[in-house]
Amino acid sequence: MPGSPPSLDRQQLGAYLALMEVSSILRHEVEQHLRAEGDLSYVQWQILASLEDSASGSHRMTDLADGVVYSRSGLTYQAGLLEKRGLISRSPSPADERSIDVTITDAGRALFARVLPGHIEVVSSLLFEPLSRNDVQALTGLLTPVRDHMRATPPRSASPRRRKRTRAGDTAS
Amino acid sequence: MPGSPPSLDRQQLGAYLALMEVSSILRHEVEQHLRAEGDLSYVQWQILASLEDSASGSHRMTDLADGVVYSRSGLTYQAGLLEKRGLISRSPSPADERSIDVTITDAGRALFARVLPGHIEVVSSLLFEPLSRNDVQALTGLLTPVRDHMRATPPRSASPRRRKRTRAGDTAS
DNA sequence: TATTGTTATACTCTATAACTATA
DNA sequence: TATAGTTATAGAGTATAACAATA
């Protein structure tokens, strides 16, 4: 029997490696398609999808940052590219002058609509072809708790600026 | 009601998004740890793991390329970094003078051993904590066929040089 | 003082094409 | 002619820290 302190059993190792390989290939193929079809990075696609999905077609930069990218400057960079192409627009939020409201434009919606079918096709043919409806349901059932756990796990990212809650007693003064 | 041709049902969309988020976070955290603990990129880690895992501690560059990286020059780059640090060594293969045998060094094994516990810890706490033994088995059962399917799917990568089999009748002459 | 967002900068990684050498 | 690997190069993405402005 192997050591107990730090180890993954055979099943866990298999699951981990399968997950990494599956997600790497899928991500790679998806990115390839997005680039070829719409000249979009995956982050740009997530931004458009997030905006398209929202009722107002708008989000604050901070809202986009949570759940899209790991650094704020990265989001600024990607949003800048989208704005340059006229796919989104940015304007100061009326409510809070510090915030920027990001809104998807008609051109953005049009591009999203144009790319979406191919995107779905890639995902369907690569990920879902070998899975039955029950399989998909089971997969969701397994991954959802994991996602929730990961979201809840505190140190998630190391430094996208102090994360919400203020740690008391940090600076004495 | 929207069109029917290309679409993912709610279950599929959920599974897809959960998979992407889970794998993104996991990969990000793993990379963070590898960098902090061993100054290694994920690809470098895969190379070391692959060599450590092999009986001889060696692999040809081509063998490493299949299943590790998407372009050959990328592998050369990463292997070059490892060699510079003395973690692997490269020498022409006796059997085929075109090939390079990559071998993990003692220093490479030592570093791998030093980083592994923390690596496992990250994976365990992030991915496996919310999963029972049965869950893990189920997850493997779902992802393995997907992985096999993806490996078999032809166009997988767009251009890491002509992939094995030669397409007849390409150049006339 | 904390939060929102941008900018400047440096660095890592990746991919393409051209190139060498062996089979 | 095909395969193994490297090199040069160019570009994309990311993160850090410093910065400005509003709350």
Side-chain angles (χ1 to χ4, degrees):
Chain A
M1 230 152 247
S4 45
S7 79
L8 299 177
D9 61 43
R10 196 172 290 274
Q11 277 293 335
Q12 288 177 323
L13 183 62
Y16 168 52
L17 294 179
L19 176 68
M20 292 304 259
E21 184 169 348
V22 161
S23 60
S24 292
I25 294 175
L26 182 59
R27 171 100 178 220
H28 189 260
E29 293 301 315
V30 160
E31 286 184 335
Q32 197 116 325
H33 168 259
L34 292 176
R35 180 66 63 192
E37 204 73 17
D39 194 28
L40 292 169
S41 70
Y42 185 70
V43 172
Q44 288 167 29
W45 176 253
Q46 287 184 96
I47 293 173
L48 292 182
S50 171
L51 295 175
E52 177 74 11
D53 191 48
S54 83
S56 60
S58 294
H59 273 314
R60 297 182 312 144
M61 289 291 282
T62 292
D63 299 332
L64 287 175
D66 292 338
V68 148
V69 103
Y70 297 106
S71 81
R72 289 168 115 70
S73 65
L75 177 61
T76 296
Y77 171 73
Q78 297 288 351
L81 294 179
L82 288 175
E83 189 180 36
K84 219 174 288 178
R85 293 173 60 188
L87 302 174
I88 64 171
S89 66
R90 285 187 285 188
S91 57
S93 167
D96 183 337
E97 292 275 335
R98 292 172 304 181
S99 291
I100 300 284
D101 282 334
V102 180
T103 307
I104 190 168
T105 64
D106 289 346
R109 291 186 193 274
L111 178 62
F112 184 82
R114 187 165 70 73
V115 173
L116 183 59
H119 181 85
I120 290 174
E121 216 287 327
V122 169
V123 175
S124 293
S125 69
L126 228 48
L127 175 62
F128 291 122
E129 205 191 278
L131 298 179
S132 71
R133 293 185 67 79
N134 279 342
D135 289 341
V136 174
Q137 190 151 8
L139 187 59
T140 304
L142 292 168
L143 292 179
T144 300
V146 174
R147 173 172 59 182
D148 294 343
H149 170 68
M150 287 178 169
R151 283 179 175 168
T153 295
R156 184 173 153 173
S157 187
S159 58
R161 194 180 273 180
R162 199 61 79 248
R163 201 141 191 93
K164 300 292 174 190
R165 97 205 63 163
T166 308
R167 298 197 309 163
D170 218 33
T171 49
S173 95
Chain B
M1 227 141 257
S4 45
S7 78
L8 300 176
D9 61 42
R10 196 172 290 274
Q11 279 292 335
Q12 288 178 321
L13 183 61
Y16 169 52
L17 294 180
L19 175 68
M20 292 303 260
E21 184 169 348
V22 161
S23 59
S24 292
I25 294 175
L26 182 58
R27 171 99 179 223
H28 189 258
E29 293 300 316
V30 160
E31 287 185 334
Q32 196 117 324
H33 168 259
L34 292 176
R35 180 66 63 192
E37 205 73 19
D39 195 29
L40 292 168
S41 71
Y42 186 70
V43 172
Q44 289 167 29
W45 176 252
Q46 286 183 96
I47 293 173
L48 292 182
S50 171
L51 296 175
E52 177 74 12
D53 192 47
S54 84
S56 60
S58 294
H59 275 313
R60 296 183 311 144
M61 288 291 282
T62 292
D63 299 332
L64 286 176
D66 292 337
V68 148
V69 104
Y70 297 105
S71 83
R72 289 169 115 71
S73 65
L75 177 61
T76 296
Y77 170 73
Q78 297 288 349
L81 295 179
L82 288 175
E83 190 180 36
K84 219 174 289 177
R85 293 173 61 188
L87 302 174
I88 64 172
S89 67
R90 284 187 287 187
S91 58
S93 165
D96 183 338
E97 292 273 336
R98 292 172 303 181
S99 290
I100 300 282
D101 283 334
V102 181
T103 307
I104 189 169
T105 64
D106 289 345
R109 290 186 193 274
L111 178 62
F112 185 82
R114 187 164 69 72
V115 174
L116 183 58
H119 181 85
I120 289 175
E121 215 286 325
V122 169
V123 176
S124 293
S125 68
L126 228 47
L127 176 62
F128 291 122
E129 204 192 279
L131 297 179
S132 72
R133 292 185 67 79
N134 279 341
D135 289 340
V136 174
Q137 190 152 7
L139 186 59
T140 303
L142 291 168
L143 291 180
T144 299
V146 174
R147 174 173 59 182
D148 294 342
H149 169 70
M150 286 179 171
R151 283 179 176 169
T153 294
R156 184 173 152 173
S157 189
S159 60
R161 195 180 273 179
R162 202 58 82 247
R163 199 147 194 88
K164 300 292 174 186
R165 99 208 62 175
T166 309
R167 296 196 310 164
D170 219 32
T171 48
S173 92

